[in-house]
Amino acid sequence: MTTDTIVFSKELLEKVKEIIGRYPEGRQKSALLPVLHLAQQEYGWVSPEIMDYIASLLDIQPIEVYEVATFYTMFHLEPVGKNVIEYCRTGPCCTMGGEEVYRHLLDKLEIKTGQTTPDGNFTVKEVECLAACGWGPCFQIREKFYTHLTNEKVDEIINDLSK
Amino acid sequence: MAESIKILTDKIGIEGIENFDVYRKNGGYKAVEKAIKKMSPDEVLDEVKKSGVRGRGGAGFPMGMKWGFLAKPEGVPRYLVCNADESEPGTFKDHYLMKSNPHLLIEGMIISSFTLGANTSFIYVRGELMYVIYILEKAIAEAKKAGFLGKNILGSGYDLQLVVQPGGGAYICGEETALLESLEGKRGNPRNKPPFPAVKGLYQCPTVVNNVESISTTPWIVLNGGESYSKIGLGRSTGTKLISASGHINNPGVYEIELGLPVEEFIYSDDYLGGIRPGHELKAVVAGGSSVPILPAALILKTADGNSRLMSYESLSEGGFQSGTMLGSGGFIAMDETTCIVRNTWNFARFYHHESCGQCSPCREGTGWMDKVLYRIEHGLGNERDIDLLVDVAKRIEGNTICPLGDAAAWPVASAIRHFRDEFEWHIKYPNEAIKYQAVYKGDMIKV
Ligand SMILES: Cc1cc2nc3c(=O)[nH]c(=O)nc-3n(C[C@H](O)[C@H](O)[C@H](O)COP(=O)(O)O)c2cc1C
Ligand code: SF4
Ligand code: FES
């Protein structure tokens, strides 16, 4: 897929239209976060071309999209692997052994924080508290939460997703 | 279980409660019918005022009073925005409540919007909880189909559109004015106050921002009356509170407690946390989310005056910052004797450094300093002056910033040093031991 000629599919454009309709007249900029999420779900990350395209859809300046996309940590501004593992590194999870499990995950994938495995299957990112502290250690892959992690559980999850 | 009162979680556990029909069969949306058909907005407001319910997002401001401040200029729309950003470390109650019983929040949103005269209301959910957003959107569609949302609700002439908005992964967007900026499609930079949201909020219109749990109390208050609510709890800490419990306890999870419950009972009773994990003992507690002062075991169980400490706004803050803490958002993090307080404090400091929006220099620079100095101490590179340096930096942040994130970053550091100074000194005095201790974590896996 090349990103220089971004055009959303018909379904995606319908969805964008529906989202814009949620806000009062002239407040279509409010649609920016939901539309960035939509784009990322579709393309895996948000390239500069996608951001420019979104600016045109919402009738705002490209810079308004860049400044938002760079502020919020959920948006990937570089290509990422098929499974982005977003690992909670915050206090309560660490209290429950989150750091040791994290070390195991990196060792298993043989990468460092922020990197992608050579086969493009996994990217690991550190994130702050995911509002699942009582069920930690935990990470998230797309919309799914993986909780009560142990080294063994991590092995299982990674093996499953490697198939 | 003890015969404790359940206001928010009574329906959780009923098979299929996330579906409209099941929720309705179990008494759901009766409060909306009562409010819209039999009461005026002012009458609902009166009940909420009488209930004494206080904001559950952290600050504990009385909800009825906040609603009373909402400006009502002629011809200007008003907005209700529900704060479901839930990013305070240690807090996961709103997540639990929304996914387990989504219709309760929708019902609360309808009642609250009706009371405030809002025709478009928003639920701002942190973006990581996309699956919860889908659950809420489905619930909204069901409620709309049944005539509880949309145009002319229950034939009353009242219209309400409910929108679920995703965030993008920024703790600061939990601060109400940053949240409004974010909802307008901008970076989440907190606004200077005044003007307050009650006068100029979303799109410069009068706006109320309330937490998920706060709004979810309104169906019960409408059905049972504010006075009944005010009789639950203790003194000015009326009602029940959801507590998110994590850390070295036997039963982590979300608990609905009546305010005023003794902390000791909460920690050790099998009805609640079931005690500290086997073979270990309690060392410290962060009682209200990462932003509140940490307390050693002795001070969380009893106040400095020797009174039994209770789970209430007043009792937890008894002793001020010298020997007390705060109820905050109810994120209760228990730590046993294996916990390194320096490491935990560094972890939180790094969090605030990462999440500072960078608008004010005391917060932007100060959180960076605290992160660096704590990293240094934790890794056996500290020097004698570092502890006083930390205290000094914390003091310079406090009270000198646009929003309370600065204070929230300073308090955990200041309180950890106040109560566990010897641990900081130990790290500095015995750097080699500190480094050995690091081996537990197998070196620097997490970079600053
Ligand atoms: C840095 C920061 C983060 C906050 N995060 C949240 C949050 O995640 N959820 C929340 O309800 N309130 C949060 N608050 C408090 C809100 O600013 C606001 O007081 C609250 O949403 C009001 O609702 P309430 O009166 O019902 O508690 C935060 C405040 C600050 C300063
Ligand atoms: S105190 Fe920190 S987070 Fe709040 S506005 Fe200032 S820099 Fe931003
Ligand atoms: S600390 Fe990991 S989810 Fe909260």
Side-chain angles (χ1 to χ4, degrees):
Chain A
M1 166 204 65
T2 72
T3 50
D4 355 322
T5 49
I6 292 289
V7 183
F8 282 179
S9 66
K10 221 175 117 214
E11 296 79 54
L12 219 51
L13 284 173
E14 279 298 312
K15 185 83 193 154
V16 170
K17 213 172 125 196
E18 182 267 308
I19 293 173
I20 292 174
R22 295 171 184 178
Y23 313 99
E25 193 70 33
R27 301 294 182 178
Q28 77 282 0
K29 190 172 169 182
S30 283
L32 185 47
L33 278 165
V35 172
L36 279 167
H37 278 295
L38 263 192
Q40 181 155 299
Q41 281 161 1
E42 182 78 10
Y43 297 94
W45 64 297
V46 283
S47 63
E49 292 78 11
I50 292 178
M51 290 193 259
D52 291 348
Y53 179 65
I54 290 176
S56 71
L57 289 180
L58 299 186
D59 198 16
I60 55 180
Q61 294 301 316
I63 181 74
E64 296 179 83
V65 184
Y66 307 156
E67 54 177 25
V68 162
T70 52
F71 183 86
Y72 296 93
T73 53
M74 281 186 79
F75 301 113
H76 310 311
L77 303 176
E78 313 251 321
V80 286
K82 194 169 133 223
N83 297 292
V84 182
I85 300 177
E86 299 187 277
Y87 195 97
C88 172
R89 66 171 192 182
T90 312
C93 275
C94 292
T95 298
M96 300 311 287
E99 292 175 287
E100 290 84 337
V101 175
Y102 186 57
R103 165 54 52 194
H104 177 78
L105 171 71
L106 293 182
D107 285 349
K108 179 159 176 81
L109 295 175
E110 297 180 356
I111 52 173
K112 290 189 184 136
T113 299
Q115 294 180 336
T116 301
T117 51
D119 63 2
N121 203 12
F122 296 100
T123 300
V124 176
K125 290 198 169 187
E126 288 175 16
V127 294
E128 301 293 358
C129 180
L130 288 167
C133 325
W135 314 307
C138 67
F139 64 59
Q140 189 174 29
I141 301 179
R142 261 170 261 117
E143 282 148 29
K144 192 165 157 55
F145 277 74
Y146 296 84
T147 58
H148 303 97
L149 294 175
T150 58
N151 290 355
E152 296 70 42
K153 214 163 158 188
V154 164
D155 288 345
E156 251 172 62
I157 296 164
I158 298 298
N159 294 343
D160 269 0
L161 291 171
S162 302
K163 275 178 202 152
Chain B
M1 282 299 274
E3 51 344 318
S4 50
I5 294 181
K6 299 276 179 275
I7 286 176
L8 301 161
T9 57
D10 60 326
K11 294 191 177 64
I12 294 180
I14 297 174
E15 180 74 21
I17 196 68
E18 65 282 4
N19 300 308
F20 178 84
D21 294 341
V22 178
Y23 183 75
R24 182 87 173 117
K25 260 193 217 114
N26 284 278
Y29 289 96
K30 278 213 177 113
V32 171
E33 285 177 309
K34 180 171 175 189
I36 292 191
K37 286 191 180 159
K38 304 213 176 98
M39 296 170 81
S40 70
D42 280 344
E43 281 167 344
V44 181
L45 175 61
D46 237 27
E47 294 304 323
V48 172
K49 279 186 175 159
K50 270 192 233 154
S51 76
V53 63
R54 292 162 69 173
R56 305 299 194 212
F61 192 80
M63 185 153 79
M65 204 190 284
K66 183 189 265 189
W67 288 12
F69 289 152
L70 185 69
K72 297 184 171 162
E74 204 55 43
V76 179
R78 304 189 276 274
Y79 294 102
L80 169 66
V81 179
C82 172
N83 189 343
D85 190 55
E86 195 164 66
S87 313
E88 170 92 354
T91 315
F92 49 102
K93 62 179 180 88
D94 298 336
H95 178 182
Y96 172 77
L97 194 59
M98 291 186 291
K99 79 167 175 147
S100 313
N101 190 5
H103 281 288
L104 179 66
L105 175 61
I106 312 291
E107 207 184 343
M109 285 299 285
I110 300 170
I111 292 167
S112 308
S113 303
F114 168 74
T115 309
L116 298 167
N119 298 110
T120 304
S121 297
F122 296 88
I123 306 175
Y124 182 100
V125 184
R126 59 178 299 176
E128 292 89 340
L129 298 182
M130 205 51 92
Y131 84 98
V132 176
I133 291 179
Y134 300 147
I135 292 174
L136 289 172
E137 282 177 341
K138 176 176 166 271
I140 287 173
E142 288 174 337
K144 192 168 172 187
K145 208 167 141 221
F148 287 97
L149 273 171
K151 291 239 174 294
N152 192 18
I153 296 174
L154 304 177
S156 64
Y158 173 62
D159 303 338
L160 176 63
Q161 182 202 6
L162 208 50
V163 177
V164 186
Q165 179 83 355
Y171 168 67
I172 191 57
C173 291
E175 194 281 332
E176 57 186 12
T177 60
L179 188 151
L180 296 176
E181 287 286 297
S182 179
L183 189 44
E184 292 181 3
K186 301 184 222 154
R187 294 166 79 96
N189 288 338
R191 296 175 183 168
N192 263 311
K193 292 185 250 189
F196 289 92
V199 178
K200 282 195 157 85
L202 185 65
Y203 310 131
Q204 296 295 310
C205 299
T207 302
V208 164
V209 181
N210 270 129
N211 174 260
V212 173
E213 185 186 345
S214 318
I215 289 173
S216 299
T217 59
T218 56
W220 196 96
I221 292 172
V222 163
L223 284 181
N224 300 278
E227 202 172 315
S228 312
Y229 189 92
S230 72
K231 287 186 183 136
I232 305 164
L234 183 69
R236 288 182 52 236
S237 292
T238 62
T240 64
K241 173 91 189 78
L242 295 178
I243 306 292
S244 322
S246 64
H248 298 135
I249 44 178
N250 283 320
N251 312 320
V254 175
Y255 294 86
E256 180 169 11
I257 61 157
E258 179 169 356
L259 285 165
L261 179 78
V263 174
E264 186 159 4
E265 185 180 344
F266 182 60
I267 297 177
Y268 292 102
S269 156
D270 284 336
D271 288 337
Y272 303 102
L273 309 189
I276 307 306
R277 59 178 177 171
H280 294 276
E281 56 188 74
L282 184 66
K283 174 177 179 177
V285 166
V286 174
S290 62
S291 305
V292 311
I294 188 172
L295 286 183
L299 279 177
I300 189 71
L301 298 172
K302 284 203 165 34
T303 66
D305 294 339
N307 299 322
S308 155
R309 184 86 76 181
L310 311 176
M311 298 290 283
S312 72
Y313 293 95
E314 293 76 21
S315 178
L316 282 170
S317 56
E318 199 180 319
F321 277 9
Q322 220 39 49
S323 61
T325 180
M326 289 188 285
L327 179 61
S329 60
F332 195 94
I333 313 164
M335 292 169 257
D336 70 17
E337 81 290 348
T338 64
T339 310
C340 173
I341 298 295
V342 177
R343 192 171 187 84
N344 190 67
T345 309
W346 166 51
N347 186 300
F348 284 157
R350 185 188 53 190
F351 170 83
Y352 291 105
H353 180 202
H354 185 258
E355 300 299 333
S356 165
C357 84
Q359 274 192 113
C360 355
S361 33
C363 170
R364 181 185 62 237
E365 303 300 323
T367 53
W369 271 90
M370 295 196 298
D371 180 1
K372 276 199 202 96
V373 174
L374 282 160
Y375 174 87
R376 197 151 86 194
I377 299 175
E378 166 65 2
H379 292 78
L381 303 165
N383 71 53
E384 276 161 33
R385 291 187 308 274
D386 278 349
I387 299 178
D388 291 334
L389 177 61
L390 281 172
V391 173
D392 187 50
V393 173
K395 251 194 223 132
R396 280 167 203 267
I397 300 175
E398 246 187 284
N400 291 321
T401 55
I402 294 178
C403 90
L405 184 136
D407 301 340
W411 294 338
V413 175
S415 60
I417 294 175
R418 187 176 311 123
H419 299 298
F420 297 95
R421 196 178 177 106
D422 53 337
E423 275 188 50
F424 290 82
E425 285 167 354
W426 182 87
H427 278 73
I428 292 168
K429 237 192 211 146
Y430 305 105
N432 292 331
E433 291 298 313
I435 290 164
K436 238 189 269 164
Y437 193 70
Q438 281 287 310
V440 177
Y441 306 105
K442 298 192 187 154
D444 263 346
M445 30 188 312
I446 300 181
K447 277 281 232 283
V448 203

